[in-house]
């Protein structure tokens, strides 16, 4: 009886805490979604608009380095580092320009007759999707032609892979993009940063900078990431979409499990 009584007391003590925590998480996500709509200046509808700044008959692609502005050297903003390396490889690193319409910095380039827009959002990670959605609308890029580059806790530093669609898996930047574009079909280059060791919190880990030893590995990771991005961007355009193609609306994850390991 003593054990049962203790358990009941413990449950009564913990249950309200769990309920408050879940309520907090739910409320934070709701507030983030409201903020998305306010910044997009749309009434809970996709922001894809017909106008495009690039006039061509070819397919347009958008590559986004997710991260926090002003924190480019941190693990959480490794996507921005990859994008910087890509711009350097394309010899366009001096062409970054601020674009208030998309709340970010952009470069418009071309890779094997494919128009490519590089984007570094100038919004916090949790609302990066606003910048991505605005850029997709302005430049006429379809969601399936967007490639998000972001950090991945569940992969060790030195590991990268391409994931086609699927859930955000806890990544707030990706979740923001899914919410603002109202679909989860975007390709993602996931760059491993590993989980924290010891008693270090996840937040402190992702917002921290790479150690000197990690930077040695990071140099190789940036090269491999750019190689993989160029491979993806250089692929021939696919045939017209079939009913099972990744152009389906939110929730359509037919291609979500297909991965290319790097």
């Amino acid at each position: 009886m003593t054990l049962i009584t203790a358990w009941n007391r413990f449950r009564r003590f913990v249950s309200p805490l769990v309920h408050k925590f879940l309520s907090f998480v739910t409320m934070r996500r709701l507030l983030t979604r409201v903020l998305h709509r306010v910044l997009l200046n749309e009434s809970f509808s996709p922001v894809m608009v017909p106008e495009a700044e690039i006039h061509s008959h070819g397919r347009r692609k958008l590559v986004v380095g997710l991260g926090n502005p002003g924190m480019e050297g941190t693990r959480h903003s490794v996507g921005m580092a990859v994008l910087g390396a890509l711009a350097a490889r394309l010899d366009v690193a001096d062409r970054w320009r601020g674009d208030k319409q998309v709340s970010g910095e952009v470069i418009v380039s071309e890779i094997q007759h494919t128009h490519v827009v590089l984007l570094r959002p100038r919004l916090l990670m949790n609302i990066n999707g606003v910048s991505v959605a605005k850029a997709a609308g302005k430049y006429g890029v379809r969601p399936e032609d967007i490639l998000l580059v972001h950090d991945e806790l569940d992969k060790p530093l030195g590991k990268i892979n391409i994931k086609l669609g699927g859930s955000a898996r806890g990544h707030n930047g990706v979740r923001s993009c899914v919410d603002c574009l109202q679909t989860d079909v975007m390709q993602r280059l996931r760059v491993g940063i590993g989980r924290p060791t010891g008693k270090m919190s996840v937040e402190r880990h992702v917002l921290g900078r790479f150690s000197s030893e990690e930077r040695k590995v990071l140099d190789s990771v940036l090269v491999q990431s750019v190689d993989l991005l160029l491979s993806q961007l250089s692929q021939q355009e696919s045939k017209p979409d079939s009913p099972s193609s990744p152009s389906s609306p939110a929730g359509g994850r037919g291609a979500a499990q297909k991965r290319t390991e790097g």
Side-chain angles (χ1 to χ4, degrees):
M1 286 297 292
T2 303
L3 184 60
I4 295 176
T5 302
W7 168 250
N8 288 334
R9 288 178 179 176
F10 175 76
R11 188 173 59 179
R12 284 196 297 268
F13 174 76
V14 171
S15 293
L17 296 178
V18 173
H19 178 72
K20 288 181 180 179
F21 174 75
L22 293 177
S23 298
F24 169 76
V25 172
T26 302
M27 182 59 67
R28 187 177 65 176
R29 289 184 180 179
L30 177 60
L31 290 175
T32 301
R33 295 193 65 179
V34 172
L35 183 58
H36 284 160
R37 307 311 170 190
V38 171
L39 292 175
L40 287 171
N41 196 26
E42 291 286 335
S43 300
F44 290 82
S45 62
V47 335
M48 304 299 289
V49 293
E51 66 182 50
E53 196 171 90
I54 302 175
H55 300 287
S56 73
H57 299 290
R59 200 165 181 173
R60 309 176 189 98
K61 297 186 178 182
L62 174 64
V63 186
V64 187
L66 299 184
N68 286 305
M71 301 183 68
E72 285 80 357
T74 62
R75 295 182 180 89
H76 210 23
S77 297
V78 71
M80 289 185 170
V82 172
L83 217 62
L86 175 60
R89 180 82 68 88
L90 296 174
D91 199 23
V92 295
D94 59 342
R95 285 169 49 184
W96 287 108
R97 62 180 178 84
D99 189 334
K100 292 183 178 180
Q101 288 184 319
V102 304
S103 303
E105 296 176 328
V106 300
I107 291 177
V108 179
S109 187
E110 187 172 308
I111 299 176
Q112 292 190 3
H113 308 295
T114 297
H115 288 282
V116 178
V117 180
L118 310 184
L119 171 66
R120 294 192 301 203
R122 303 310 294 171
L123 299 172
L124 294 176
M125 177 72 87
N126 289 15
I127 52 176
N128 269 191
V130 173
S131 182
V132 176
K134 285 182 176 181
K138 178 176 181 176
Y139 294 100
V141 181
R142 303 187 300 183
E144 57 266 36
D145 291 324
I146 297 175
L147 207 162
L148 307 176
V149 186
H150 65 88
D151 58 301
E152 177 59 58
L153 273 170
D154 291 329
K155 287 189 176 297
L157 180 64
K159 296 293 184 180
I160 61 174
N161 86 315
I162 289 286
K163 183 174 185 296
L164 305 187
S167 69
R169 298 184 65 178
H171 194 285
N172 290 329
V174 176
R175 182 183 292 115
S176 175
C177 295
V178 170
D179 181 42
C180 290
L181 292 166
Q182 296 191 5
T183 181
D184 61 6
V185 300
M186 295 77 70
Q187 299 180 71
R188 292 155 51 186
L189 172 57
R190 303 189 299 170
V191 183
I193 61 171
R195 287 196 168 273
T197 57
K199 296 182 179 180
M200 181 182 292
S201 67
V202 170
E203 181 178 1
R204 183 179 175 186
H205 175 69
V206 299
L207 296 181
R209 296 182 178 275
F210 291 101
S211 67
S212 57
E213 289 299 318
E214 289 176 325
R215 283 196 293 270
K216 295 176 183 178
V217 180
L218 181 62
D219 291 340
S220 175
V221 168
L222 294 180
V223 172
Q224 294 174 28
S225 297
V226 171
D227 288 343
L228 188 52
L229 284 175
L230 291 175
S231 175
Q232 291 293 117
L233 296 172
S234 301
Q235 289 178 1
Q236 294 182 350
E237 293 186 8
S238 59
K239 296 179 181 179
D241 298 321
S242 64
S244 60
S245 72
S247 61
S248 55
R253 300 174 182 169
Q257 299 304 317
K258 184 179 179 180
R259 293 176 172 83
T260 302
E261 292 294 338

